[in-house]
Amino acid sequence: MDAEFMQIAIALSIENVRSGRGGPFGAVIAKGREIIATGANQVTSANDPTAHAEIVAIRAACQKLQDFQLSGCDLYTSCEPCPMCLGAIYWARPDQVYYASSREDAASAGFDDEFIYSQITLPVDRRKIPMRQALQQEAEAAFRAWEEMLHKIRY
Amino acid sequence: MDAEFMQIAIALSIENVRSGRGGPFGAVIAKGREIIATGANQVTSANDPTAHAEIVAIRAACQKLQDFQLSGCDLYTSCEPCPMCLGAIYWARPDQVYYASSREDAASAGFDDEFIYSQITLPVDRRKIPMRQALQQEAEAAFRAWEEMLHKIRY
């Protein structure tokens, strides 16, 4: 753990509030001693509900490395990732994640993380945003096309 | 449920494999009878691990509507959302989600959704990607700055 990288993530989270760009969240992605990318929450200023600090940083780091994986990288985030960002972390696969505030701290400050964590474990038909399955058989053709595809890039 | 919108999402998922742009996933966001945006998986072609069909469509719809919320919209996706996309859905808050393939179908085709669902419910210290807390107290300043901010835009 490099305390300096976490201090930068926290500084970004505070600066982000003061600048009015978005919520109090910042992130740093480092590879060894080098910072590859940083991010701060831009949900309201960019009209992008997915623009959480971690996702902004992951996207920027992948652009810089021209890779869709962050093997060998560490993610420092000012707050425990929400389920969306945790999912993004599992797809990007950094080596290690460090976080400062907890999801409970985020919930106390009015951010929905804890609610979303509780929704994810519910059966589909008991979630607050209604979800319904339709045309499952028609969609099988997509996975068949994928299986038959030669030279595909797995991720 | 508008079967036509789901058929378009499925067609996008198949076309996406054939074009080599990414995984077999497509999505449509509609408001009433109008399609606001579509998306297909671009993880490998855009070097963006967050570029799942749903997230591509959510970001595009929000740009079109110039809003960070999708109230009044429905999301049609060719496959049950992974945890990252489910989180994004909860942040974007569409009225309704329809999906065709299940997460088990995705897992059978080699996509990690089911694994990530199982990781999210584990305590932080038992997850496969190591996560550790650090500098929690230093990060409190960000939430304090947020609480003190007047005229902030909540999301």
Side-chain angles (χ1 to χ4, degrees):
Chain A
M1 210 282 288
D2 189 319
E4 194 195 334
F5 292 157
M6 186 61 94
Q7 280 154 355
I8 293 170
I10 293 171
L12 284 167
S13 72
I14 297 168
E15 159 59 20
N16 203 53
V17 176
R18 301 214 166 119
S19 70
R21 270 196 302 270
F25 303 101
V28 167
I29 291 172
K31 195 165 191 171
R33 286 289 311 145
E34 187 197 355
I35 290 180
I36 304 294
T38 64
N41 183 290
Q42 303 174 358
V43 169
T44 54
S45 57
N47 283 321
D48 181 356
T50 74
H52 285 199
E54 298 93 324
I55 292 209
V56 171
I58 286 170
R59 299 180 81 225
C62 286
Q63 286 314 298
K64 186 153 174 196
L65 300 173
Q66 284 294 297
D67 198 344
F68 53 85
Q69 298 280 273
L70 293 177
S71 325
C73 295
D74 298 325
L75 171 65
Y76 292 78
T77 168
S78 66
C79 186
E80 185 177 348
C82 80
M84 172 179 72
C85 293
L86 187 59
I89 287 164
Y90 272 91
W91 289 113
R93 306 185 182 94
D95 288 359
Q96 171 89 42
V97 176
Y98 300 102
Y99 63 94
S101 300
S102 68
R103 66 169 94 165
E104 292 82 7
D105 296 334
S108 302
F111 295 93
D112 257 357
D113 302 31
E114 194 58 29
F115 166 71
I116 301 177
Y117 271 105
S118 70
Q119 288 284 303
I120 279 185
T121 57
L122 289 178
V124 165
D125 59 358
R126 288 183 47 212
R127 293 194 188 136
K128 202 175 164 192
I129 297 181
M131 299 185 65
R132 223 170 56 202
Q133 191 168 26
L135 307 197
Q136 183 178 19
Q137 285 196 330
E138 283 86 333
E140 278 175 20
F143 289 126
R144 273 205 306 274
W146 177 257
E147 281 154 16
E148 287 163 10
M149 179 87 170
L150 303 170
H151 314 303
K152 58 184 168 252
I153 307 175
R154 296 174 198 278
Y155 57 88
Chain B
M1 211 282 287
D2 189 319
E4 194 195 332
F5 292 157
M6 186 60 95
Q7 280 154 355
I8 294 170
I10 293 170
L12 285 167
S13 72
I14 297 167
E15 160 58 21
N16 203 54
V17 176
R18 300 213 166 120
S19 69
R21 270 196 302 272
F25 304 101
V28 167
I29 291 173
K31 195 164 191 171
R33 284 291 309 146
E34 187 196 356
I35 290 179
I36 305 293
T38 64
N41 182 291
Q42 303 174 358
V43 169
T44 53
S45 57
N47 282 320
D48 181 355
T50 74
H52 285 198
E54 298 94 322
I55 292 209
V56 171
I58 287 170
R59 299 180 82 224
C62 286
Q63 287 313 300
K64 186 152 176 196
L65 300 173
Q66 284 294 294
D67 198 344
F68 54 85
Q69 298 281 270
L70 293 177
S71 326
C73 295
D74 297 325
L75 170 65
Y76 292 79
T77 169
S78 67
C79 184
E80 186 178 349
C82 81
M84 172 177 73
C85 293
L86 188 58
I89 287 164
Y90 272 90
W91 289 114
R93 305 185 182 93
D95 288 359
Q96 172 88 42
V97 176
Y98 300 103
Y99 64 94
S101 299
S102 67
R103 65 170 95 165
E104 291 83 7
D105 296 334
S108 302
F111 295 94
D112 255 358
D113 302 33
E114 195 59 30
F115 167 71
I116 300 177
Y117 271 106
S118 71
Q119 288 284 303
I120 280 186
T121 57
L122 290 178
V124 165
D125 59 358
R126 288 184 46 211
R127 293 193 188 135
K128 201 174 165 191
I129 296 182
M131 299 185 65
R132 222 169 57 201
Q133 192 167 25
L135 307 198
Q136 185 179 18
Q137 285 196 330
E138 283 85 334
E140 278 176 20
F143 288 127
R144 273 204 307 274
W146 177 256
E147 281 155 15
E148 287 163 8
M149 180 86 171
L150 304 169
H151 315 302
K152 58 183 168 255
I153 307 175
R154 295 174 198 278
Y155 57 88

